[in-house]
Amino acid sequence: MSEFDEYIVHGEPGQKEKADAWQTAIGLQDVDGLKVSTYLLDTARQHIEGDISIDEARDRIKAYYETKSEHDAVDEEGDKASVNIVKILNEPSFAFSLVGLTSIHRRIFEGVFKFAGQLRQVELSKKEWVLGGNASVSYQPAIDLREAIEYDLSWEKEFDYSNRPMAEIIKHLSQFIADLWQIHPFREGNTRTTAVFLIKYLRSMGIPVTNDMFKEHSWYFRNALVRASYKGLNIAPTTEFVERFLRNVILGEKNELRNRDMLVGASLPTPAIQSVTEDSPKSNICSLDCTLEETAILRCIESNPKMTQKEMASTIRKSERTVKTITSSLVEKGIIVRRNGRRNGWWEIIK
């Protein structure tokens, strides 16, 4: 059982949400091979159980490293970034803008990097394990960062998600997030910032996000972004692996996520970080030709068949009238059915 799973399985609703955010935040540190301290885990438990607020948790972590004479810098970065990510994930606000993106970076790495929230002014090159350990993605030149980010965000804002099949939506989202990541706006922490930005963006569109994908497969997520961005001799960029990841995140599918499937070149040693497979059956909704809003409703029903339309509206951030329209459409299409009446009944996905 993973850290905090007891709260996910048996905890109260508020505890489940907090535990989920902590698992996601800690899992994202694997992107850079970072670990968290026992003190951070103990502090997280106190926050999950309601003994302290998230701000008190942040203060404790800050004070812990201010007073600790000897500590591991790796633990410090992982601890501070984790508690900051939890605070961001627990907040409903989100700004889909350049300021919103830089704000997320600043808030994640406040007290960690002196350049937190600042666009880089240096050129980057990083040798990637998935590219054989001797090649790097070509990142955006520092002089063009602001223009490149604003272009990608503007392009995304113009995309109309309504009445599009999920296969098209996931392919589009995969390309968008890969393009945004390839810009690499910051000197460090780009993948963690991109992941938090993506989670907040999906939630803002009313999509219930399966955060455990980021908890368990953050290293896969990064390697998938590399493969979507790298162009080399006889190697073309592909969003295939990002799409596989997002199908799990958005549709709740259980596609295998194996780092070795993305390897370029000769046989390479297995990384010390994540390489996990999932053998569970796919979600009931994985193959349906549904719109984004219909998929969000189906995910709600899948997680809680007794969920009311009012609760669905709150979850996907749409009006109750919109939810009633969507559920009626799904009933007419023969995809869902209401069992045992309106008052004490439940929804069932039948197709």
Side-chain angles (χ1 to χ4, degrees):
M1 182 173 282
S2 302
E3 203 72 51
F4 312 133
D5 272 356
E6 68 269 28
Y7 299 106
I8 301 289
V9 178
H10 303 296
E12 299 295 326
Q15 292 181 331
K16 292 179 181 179
E17 293 173 2
K18 291 177 183 177
D20 181 61
W22 277 107
Q23 286 189 333
T24 301
I26 293 170
L28 282 173
Q29 307 314 310
D30 277 342
V31 164
D32 289 309
L34 302 176
K35 302 300 178 184
V36 298
S37 69
T38 301
Y39 185 78
L40 182 281
L41 298 177
D42 292 339
T43 301
R45 287 185 180 280
Q46 292 179 63
H47 172 244
I48 293 169
E49 293 175 2
D51 296 332
I52 59 174
S53 68
I54 188 59
D55 287 328
E56 288 173 323
R58 293 176 72 236
D59 290 342
R60 288 191 180 190
I61 296 300
K62 180 180 179 181
Y64 175 72
Y65 284 104
E66 286 177 345
T67 58
K68 198 166 186 262
S69 57
E70 295 183 7
H71 61 269
D72 191 328
V74 172
D75 282 348
E76 180 175 3
E77 179 180 337
D79 285 3
K80 290 182 175 179
S82 292
V83 71
N84 288 339
I85 288 174
V86 170
K87 182 173 175 62
I88 296 170
L89 292 180
N90 283 335
E91 295 174 346
S93 60
F94 172 68
F96 187 82
S97 63
L98 172 60
V99 172
L101 180 65
T102 56
S103 175
I104 286 177
H105 186 271
R106 175 182 56 78
R107 296 183 62 197
I108 292 175
F109 299 107
E110 181 181 3
V112 178
F113 301 141
K114 292 181 179 180
F115 50 82
Q118 300 175 16
L119 298 181
R120 61 180 167 85
Q121 298 180 344
V122 297
E123 304 305 331
L124 293 181
S125 178
K126 301 180 180 180
K127 294 182 178 180
E128 301 289 351
W129 172 85
V130 76
L131 299 179
N134 56 12
S136 172
V137 170
S138 294
Y139 301 119
Q140 191 75 28
I143 194 173
D144 298 327
L145 293 177
R146 185 177 297 273
E147 183 179 352
I149 296 169
E150 290 179 339
Y151 175 83
D152 279 6
L153 295 180
S154 175
W155 174 73
E156 174 63 14
K157 285 178 180 178
E158 293 176 0
F159 185 79
D160 183 6
Y161 283 91
S162 60
N163 300 317
R164 293 180 185 268
M166 283 307 301
E168 181 182 351
I169 287 172
I170 288 177
K171 189 173 187 63
H172 171 83
L173 275 171
S174 298
Q175 190 63 64
F176 163 65
I177 206 64
D179 288 346
L180 187 64
W181 178 86
Q182 186 179 3
I183 295 172
H184 246 57
F186 312 104
R187 289 173 59 182
E188 296 287 349
N190 287 281
T191 305
R192 284 172 282 179
T193 300
T194 301
V196 173
F197 187 84
L198 175 61
I199 292 171
K200 299 285 286 186
Y201 180 43
L202 293 176
R203 287 179 177 175
S204 75
M205 292 193 290
I207 304 174
V209 180
T210 306
N211 284 349
D212 57 0
M213 287 298 103
F214 293 95
K215 174 191 73 176
E216 298 173 1
H217 301 290
S218 59
W219 180 241
Y220 180 97
F221 178 62
R222 188 186 195 286
N223 286 332
L225 292 172
V226 171
R227 287 301 313 272
S229 306
Y230 179 73
K231 182 178 182 179
L233 186 62
N234 299 322
I235 303 173
T238 175
T239 60
E240 171 192 353
F241 304 107
V242 182
E243 290 175 42
R244 189 179 301 177
F245 180 86
L246 288 184
R247 290 185 72 88
N248 286 6
V249 169
I250 296 174
L251 299 178
E253 292 184 2
K254 302 296 182 182
N255 296 299
E256 288 188 339
L257 303 179
R258 298 179 299 196
N259 285 289
R260 65 177 179 270
D261 291 345
M262 295 182 280
L263 287 175
V264 170
S267 178
L268 298 170
T270 302
I273 331 179
Q274 301 158 340
S275 182
V276 185
T277 61
E278 301 242 9
D279 297 320
S280 305
K282 288 187 176 182
S283 162
N284 291 333
I285 65 174
C286 63
S287 60
L288 296 180
D289 186 19
C290 296
T291 66
L292 191 63
E293 291 181 340
E294 288 173 337
T295 301
I297 292 296
L298 291 171
R299 290 297 306 277
C300 288
I301 293 173
E302 204 173 38
S303 65
N304 180 10
K306 293 187 176 182
M307 184 177 287
T308 66
Q309 291 179 326
K310 183 176 181 179
E311 291 170 334
M312 291 180 190
S314 176
T315 299
I316 71 171
R317 301 183 183 182
K318 300 291 182 182
S319 68
E320 196 169 346
R321 174 179 292 183
T322 297
V323 169
K324 289 180 180 179
T325 300
I326 297 170
T327 52
S328 296
S329 174
L330 290 171
V331 170
E332 291 177 4
K333 292 179 180 179
I335 296 174
I336 64 173
V337 66
R338 183 72 179 175
R339 303 289 190 191
N340 204 36
R342 293 178 59 185
R343 182 178 296 274
N344 299 312
W346 63 89
W347 298 98
E348 182 180 335
I349 301 174
I350 59 177
K351 181 178 177 181

